[in-house]
Amino acid sequence: MKKTITLAGIIIAVIAAVIFVVRKGKSRELIPVKTVKVKKGTVKNVVEASGMMKPQVGAKVKVGARISGTVLKENVKVGDFVKKGDLIAVIDNRELRENLKIAEANLKEIEKNYPKRIKTQELAVKSAEANLKSATLKLKTEKTNYELKKWEFERQENLYKTGYATENAYRQAKAAYENARNSLKAAEEAVKQAKLALEKEKEALSQLKTEFREKLKQAKAQYEQAKIRFSYSYIYAPKSGVISYVSTQEGETVVAGLNAPEFVTILVPDKLENWIYVDETEIGKIKKGQKVQFTVDTYRNKTFEGKVVEIYPEPKVLNNVVYYIVVARGFKKAALLKPDMTTHNEIVIGVKKNVLVVPNSAVKWKNGKYVVYKVVNGKVKEVPVKVGWSDDRYMEIVSGLKEGDTIALKVKVK
C-alpha cells in the first residue's frame, strides 16, 4: 500500500514538472488595462521640508485717534474679539458734522447751478451760429447782386461812350452798381461781426465750463475732506483680532497731536508666517520669491500657498542637523492657521513647461533602470526611458518616448 502511494506521488510530480516546463516555455503576454497618451505639460522641481507657523513682527495693531475730542462711546474691553470694521469708539463729532453739511450743500449748489448756466450759454452759441449762417447767406446774395450790377454798369458805360445809351441810363446803372457795392461791404462786415460774436460766445462757454470743472473739483475735494474728517470720529477695527489693551474710557477727552492717542491694541491671530527648516544640503537652491505650497496636520486635505520672503543667514541646529530658516508669507485663508502648527512644505525651485510628461505611476524602476509599458497595435512593450524632473503628479520624459505615444498605467498577464 505504501509503495502504491509513493508511485502515485512520483507520477503527479512528473506531470506537474511537465506542465511547469510547458508554461515556462511560453512567452508571457501583457494586456493593457488602463492607458494614457504621452503629452507635453508642466513639471515642477521642489524641495520638501518641515516647518512651523510663527507670529509675524507687527502682529499687534495699535488703534488710535486722529482728532481731538470727548469719547462718547467705547464698545470694547480687554479679551473681546473684534472683526475688521467693527466699531470700537465714537468721538464727539458735532462740529465735524456741521462742516460736512456745509461742504455737501456747496457741492450740490455748484452741481445744480452751473449746468443751467452752461445750457443758457450753449443756446447763446447756437443763436450766434444762426446769425453767422444768416449773414453768410446774405453775403452770398449780395455778391451775386454786386456781380450783376457791375456787369450792367460796365455795359451801360460802354454803350454811353459809343452813343448807344442815354446819360440817364448810364447814371442809373452807376448808382445801382454803387449801391450793390456798398451792400456787399455791409454784408461782409456783418459776417465779420457775426464771426466775432460767435467766437465771443464760444469763449464764454469754454470759460464757464472750465470754471465749472475747477469749482466742482474744489467743492468735491472740500466735501471729501470734510467727510474724511467726520469719519475720523468713528474708530473701527482695522483688523480682526483680540483686544489686548484698552487705554481710554467713555467721557475722557483725547488730544490728537504728533502721535495719535492710542485707544486699544489688537492682537491679529492670522498675521502669521511659515518658518521652514531647510537642510543645509538644499538651502543653496532656495531664493526669495519662490512659491511655497504646504499643508498642516489639522487640514491635511487643504493646501496653503505662499512665497519665500526671507532666508535667515544664521543656522539652527536640531538633533545635530544644520538647518536654515526660510520664511514664507502671503497665505490665503490664513485665519485657519494657528501659531506653532507644524507645516509640511514644498518649495518650488523650478518649473519646466512644454516638456514630455507622463503620470508618475506609469514609470517603473526595474533592473536598475526606468521603464514604461508602451502600447503598440494593442500589444505591450517594455521600453526603457530617461527621466528628468518629477512632482506630485507627473514625471518628465527626457528620451525613450515621443508625444502621442500610448503607455499603460496598469497591465495584466494574459
Side-chain angles (χ1 to χ4, degrees), residues 238-293:
K239 295 281 186 179
S240 298
V242 179
I243 302 296
S244 63
Y245 175 72
V246 177
S247 64
T248 58
Q249 302 297 328
E250 291 184 8
E252 293 182 353
T253 300
V254 294
V255 180
L258 295 177
N259 297 318
E262 182 182 348
F263 265 76
V264 298
T265 299
I266 301 175
L267 283 174
V268 184
D270 62 346
K271 197 170 184 181
L272 302 173
E273 58 190 16
N274 185 3
W275 284 22
I276 307 169
Y277 296 91
V278 178
D279 189 280
E280 62 176 325
T281 60
E282 302 279 10
I283 194 63
K285 302 176 183 178
I286 310 303
K287 294 179 176 59
K288 289 184 180 181
Q290 289 174 339
K291 185 178 179 181
V292 178
Q293 296 178 322

Side-chain angles (χ1 to χ4, degrees), residues 6 44 132 156 192 196 229 233 299 339 347 354 360 382:
T6 304
K44 299 177 293 185
L132 176 59
Q156 288 294 334
K192 181 179 178 181
L196 292 174
R229 287 195 59 80
S233 63
Y299 309 107
I347 305 174
N354 202 31
N360 288 329
E382 190 176 281

Side-chain angles (χ1 to χ4, degrees), residues 72-92:
L72 299 181
K73 183 184 293 186
E74 187 147 7
N75 296 334
V76 296
K77 60 183 182 297
V78 173
D80 287 349
F81 180 83
V82 293
K83 294 181 179 179
K84 181 180 179 180
D86 283 352
L87 182 64
I88 292 175
V90 180
I91 300 175
D92 187 3

Side-chain angles (χ1 to χ4, degrees), residues 177-398:
Y177 164 66
E178 290 176 348
N179 288 335
R181 183 175 59 188
N182 293 334
S183 295
L184 177 60
K185 289 182 178 179
E188 290 174 341
E189 182 63 24
V191 169
K192 181 179 178 181
Q193 293 301 321
K195 285 181 178 180
L196 292 174
L198 177 58
E199 290 176 1
K200 183 179 179 181
E201 297 298 347
K202 284 184 175 181
E203 180 65 23
L205 177 60
S206 177
Q207 290 178 354
L208 191 59
K209 286 182 176 180
T210 301
E211 183 180 338
F212 175 50
R213 285 194 299 269
E214 292 176 351
K215 285 188 175 294
L216 182 63
K217 182 180 179 180
Q218 184 180 9
K220 282 184 176 180
Q222 291 173 346
Y223 172 67
E224 289 300 324
Q225 185 179 14
K227 189 163 64 172
I228 290 171
R229 287 195 59 80
F230 178 72
S231 71
Y232 289 161
S233 63
Y234 294 91
I235 300 174
Y236 298 95
K239 295 281 186 179
S240 298
V242 179
I243 302 296
S244 63
Y245 175 72
V246 177
S247 64
T248 58
Q249 302 297 328
E250 291 184 8
E252 293 182 353
T253 300
V254 294
V255 180
L258 295 177
N259 297 318
E262 182 182 348
F263 265 76
V264 298
T265 299
I266 301 175
L267 283 174
V268 184
D270 62 346
K271 197 170 184 181
L272 302 173
E273 58 190 16
N274 185 3
W275 284 22
I276 307 169
Y277 296 91
V278 178
D279 189 280
E280 62 176 325
T281 60
E282 302 279 10
I283 194 63
K285 302 176 183 178
I286 310 303
K287 294 179 176 59
K288 289 184 180 181
Q290 289 174 339
K291 185 178 179 181
V292 178
Q293 296 178 322
F294 67 95
T295 59
V296 294
D297 292 335
T298 306
Y299 309 107
R300 289 184 177 275
N301 296 324
K302 187 179 296 294
T303 300
F304 299 88
E305 293 186 357
K307 286 187 177 181
V308 174
V309 295
E310 295 290 343
I311 303 172
Y312 288 176
E314 190 72 21
K316 191 172 185 66
V317 180
L318 300 173
N319 298 323
N320 296 322
V321 179
V322 178
Y323 295 96
Y324 289 85
I325 296 175
V326 174
V327 181
R329 297 190 195 126
F331 324 121
K332 294 181 179 178
K333 300 181 180 178
L336 298 174
L337 301 169
K338 306 294 182 186
D340 294 332
M341 279 185 170
T342 301
T343 60
H344 309 282
N345 305 274
E346 287 186 350
I347 305 174
V348 181
I349 62 174
V351 177
K352 286 186 178 181
K353 297 182 178 180
N354 202 31
V355 295
L356 289 181
V357 295
V358 298
N360 288 329
S361 59
V363 183
K364 314 295 181 185
W365 178 256
K366 192 173 181 181
N367 298 326
K369 60 184 178 182
Y370 289 102
V371 298
V372 297
Y373 294 113
K374 184 176 178 181
V375 181
V376 180
N377 297 326
K379 293 184 178 182
V380 177
K381 180 182 178 182
E382 190 176 281
V383 176
V385 292
K386 183 179 178 181
V387 301
W389 288 3
S390 65
D391 54 25
D392 57 340
R393 296 181 60 193
Y394 295 110
M395 182 171 289
E396 177 192 7
I397 301 298
V398 178

